[in-house]
Amino acid sequence: MTSEVIIEAKEKDISIALLEDKSLVEYQNVPRGASFCVGNIYLAKVKKIMPGLNACFVDVGYERDAFLHYLDLGLQYASLDKYLKQLASDFKNPFPFSKATRLQDLPKEGSVAKTLRQGEDVLVQVVKEPISTKGPRLSGEISFAGRFLVLIPFGEKVNVSSKIKNGAERTRLKQIIQKINKKNYGVIIRTVAEGLRSEELTNEYSVLLSRWEETCKRIQTAQKGQKRPALVFEETSRAVSLLRDLFNPTYENIYVNDDAVFQEVKDYVSLIAPDKVGVVKKYTGSLPIFDNFDVTKQLKSSFGTTVNYSRGAYLIIEHTEAMHVVDVNSGNRSRGVEGQEANALDVNLGAADELARQLRLRDMGGIIVVDFVDMHLAEDRQLLYERMCKNMQKDRAKHNILPLSKFGLMQITRQRVRPVMDVVVDEECPVCHGKGKIKSSILFVDTLERKIKRLVDVGIKRFILYVHPYVYAYIDKGIWSIKRQWIWKYKWAVKVVPSQELAFLQYRFVDTQGAEIDMKESLDC
């Protein structure tokens, strides 16, 4: 299996697509101005104590207060709280972390009302992004995740991922970290560290250590300024954080269409895998990067309520506040020569393949209930369950799968740390906006030329016009095409590019820096 990462950076957001054997399996889209990301650390104030929930609400700057349960404070909360007070005691001479005192573990049966006070400063880390009407979920156990290691201030032990089964390798990795680990730090060795040399582990340990030391400096600055909440550590960008968790030697290419993001990704890959830095490539084609790698078409066909997957069969996917519901339909498939049972098994096995991809692609979390086509044979139901478990082995999110119930339902729970990814595939008419009446479509090209002339007249010498591929084909038709006439008439100022993400009579003007030029007007409607 080969993997490629396609990163499309726009003015307002960044989209990341992971392709496995040219098939889209993961997709993330994040606004450039998004301030919330799993891993961010805040020095914040306790807003409200909730004794009945044994939890509190914390103000981290979101419109809804974040939730912090007593059990999420971490065993070493008392040690961390004391260290924060030691940092605030002397701003000129920061208290060395190596001299910090490890206090007794927080009792598991304790009370949040006896541990925290309203208005008190607390150091917290985001572990789950805001979802629906809920604010972020927080933890008081601070950690810094790297590619191979996770550093935990005030942690007690060096632990090895349970997915590393070889006993000798577990011992080797543990001994390497124990030799370099400093006082008051715990470390988790991740699965991808298996087989690494001590130099690579030592380098990452040093990087994570410097992040905590820099965070301590920002905490002191925030304490001095008295501004709450204060962001004292910001997780790496979404592009880099995705690569941190997913990067593996099978990556053939990482294409980026933006210079700044390209350099950021290249620097990160050179840090974690210097021999693979050549796979990071700057995309310079004229087509939009997602169109060039067939990502746009796959997005349009993979999202929405109905998802077709093989020979007429399809899935119906509905999202509710409590759970996700999936219905498997055989569609217009004719019954095979082997009978109804064999046909149902074939439909269900195909659905299991597509559903595993959909869970990763949409990042669906929480409870997922799947209604498969009824099967009467126990061995067929077991085969379907095993197929689903095998498909989900590629999924990084924690999950649990139950065998089919007597009603033919399969229940899946999957870790949810951010809202489900939802891409709107239904296109609103960009001309009438639902009114049902538009100007004569034959005049559309004249409208475009009028706007081109207006831009040239105001002195904009270079710009790009994105149109639907069908419109582009019409403009580009013939030897003396409309596009060539525009180029001749306006002295190469305009470049016309087809874009699959646009509706039929939709268009976008973009300058040479990638910023959109607003040319919409009321006369378009």
Side-chain angles (χ1 to χ4, degrees), residues 351-411:
D353 296 339
E354 179 61 27
L355 179 60
R357 185 178 80 100
Q358 287 289 327
L359 294 181
R360 293 176 64 190
L361 182 59
R362 302 185 186 217
D363 203 9
M364 293 162 61
I367 301 173
I368 301 105
V369 177
V370 190
D371 181 14
F372 286 100
V373 178
D374 290 339
M375 296 184 296
H376 301 293
L377 298 179
E379 55 266 32
D380 288 348
R381 293 196 293 269
Q382 180 63 24
L383 184 62
L384 174 60
Y385 172 68
E386 293 173 355
R387 179 74 159 261
M388 195 70 209
C389 291
K390 181 181 178 181
N391 290 337
M392 292 292 287
Q393 287 177 356
K394 300 176 184 177
D395 199 332
R396 294 178 295 114
K398 295 178 182 178
H399 58 270
N400 187 30
I401 307 171
L402 297 182
L404 269 72
S405 70
K406 62 181 180 180
F407 299 117
L409 303 177
M410 179 179 287
Q411 300 171 67

Side-chain angles (χ1 to χ4, degrees), residues 31-308:
R32 282 187 179 267
S35 58
F36 283 91
C37 182
V38 172
N40 284 2
I41 301 175
Y42 293 86
L43 183 65
K45 280 190 180 295
V46 176
K47 191 77 171 289
K48 188 176 182 181
I49 302 291
M50 304 293 290
L53 299 174
N54 202 16
C56 66
F57 287 102
V58 180
D59 179 16
V60 291
Y62 188 63
E63 57 183 347
R64 290 185 179 271
D65 291 333
F67 184 79
L68 177 63
H69 194 273
Y70 173 81
L71 294 178
D72 292 328
L73 284 173
L75 295 177
Q76 287 297 321
Y77 170 77
S79 304
L80 185 60
D81 184 55
K82 182 177 180 180
Y83 182 63
L84 291 180
K85 293 174 181 175
Q86 289 171 330
L87 284 177
S89 63
D90 188 353
F91 294 124
K92 294 183 178 179
N93 301 301
F95 193 84
F97 186 70
S98 59
K99 295 182 179 180
T101 306
R102 186 191 299 274
L103 301 179
Q104 189 175 2
D105 289 355
L106 210 63
K108 293 183 179 180
E109 303 300 326
S111 167
V112 70
K114 295 180 180 179
T115 308
L116 298 175
R117 299 185 307 277
Q118 187 170 332
E120 180 182 0
D121 279 352
V122 60
L123 190 68
V124 290
Q125 187 167 29
V126 179
V127 295
K128 185 182 288 188
E129 291 185 7
I131 297 174
S132 186
T133 58
K134 300 175 183 176
R137 182 74 181 257
L138 304 177
S139 172
E141 187 171 37
I142 307 302
S143 64
F144 295 85
R147 168 76 176 145
F148 311 118
L149 306 172
V150 179
L151 183 71
I152 305 173
F154 284 117
E156 294 182 291
K157 300 177 181 178
V158 174
N159 296 314
V160 183
S161 168
S162 59
K163 293 182 180 180
I164 300 179
K165 303 298 183 183
N166 187 297
E169 177 64 8
R170 293 175 63 88
T171 302
R172 184 187 73 88
L173 292 171
K174 198 168 186 178
Q175 289 175 345
I176 291 173
I177 299 302
Q178 284 175 337
K179 288 180 182 178
I180 63 174
N181 194 26
K182 297 185 177 182
K183 182 184 176 184
N184 288 334
Y185 291 102
V187 178
I188 298 174
I189 303 173
R190 306 182 74 176
T191 308
V192 289
E194 188 172 6
L196 289 181
R197 298 171 299 170
S198 61
E199 292 83 359
E200 294 170 293
L201 296 174
T202 302
N203 289 341
E204 181 159 280
Y205 181 86
S206 300
V207 171
L208 297 179
L209 201 64
S210 64
R211 289 181 184 175
W212 168 240
E213 292 170 350
E214 185 63 31
T215 300
C216 290
K217 295 177 182 178
R218 292 176 181 172
I219 291 172
Q220 270 202 317
T221 303
Q223 289 172 328
K224 190 187 306 183
Q226 296 295 318
K227 182 182 178 182
R228 304 290 182 275
L231 178 63
V232 294
F233 173 76
E234 187 170 13
E235 182 59 283
T236 52
S237 69
R238 183 59 58 88
V240 170
S241 62
L242 182 70
L243 285 177
R244 181 190 66 199
D245 295 333
L246 292 182
F247 188 85
N248 63 67
T250 65
Y251 279 11
E252 286 193 340
N253 299 293
I254 301 174
Y255 291 103
V256 190
N257 71 334
D258 180 82
D259 289 327
V261 178
F262 166 75
Q263 194 60 49
E264 185 180 7
V265 172
K266 188 174 181 179
D267 291 343
Y268 181 72
V269 174
S270 65
L271 178 66
I272 64 171
D275 56 321
K276 299 293 291 184
V277 70
V279 304
V280 185
K281 300 173 183 177
K282 174 71 166 59
Y283 175 74
T284 56
S286 58
L287 286 175
I289 185 170
F290 272 12
D291 289 7
N292 186 73
F293 293 100
D294 200 35
V295 175
T296 304
K297 187 175 182 180
Q298 292 193 60
L299 283 173
K300 300 270 187 186
S301 63
S302 298
F303 284 85
T305 302
T306 303
V307 179
N308 299 298

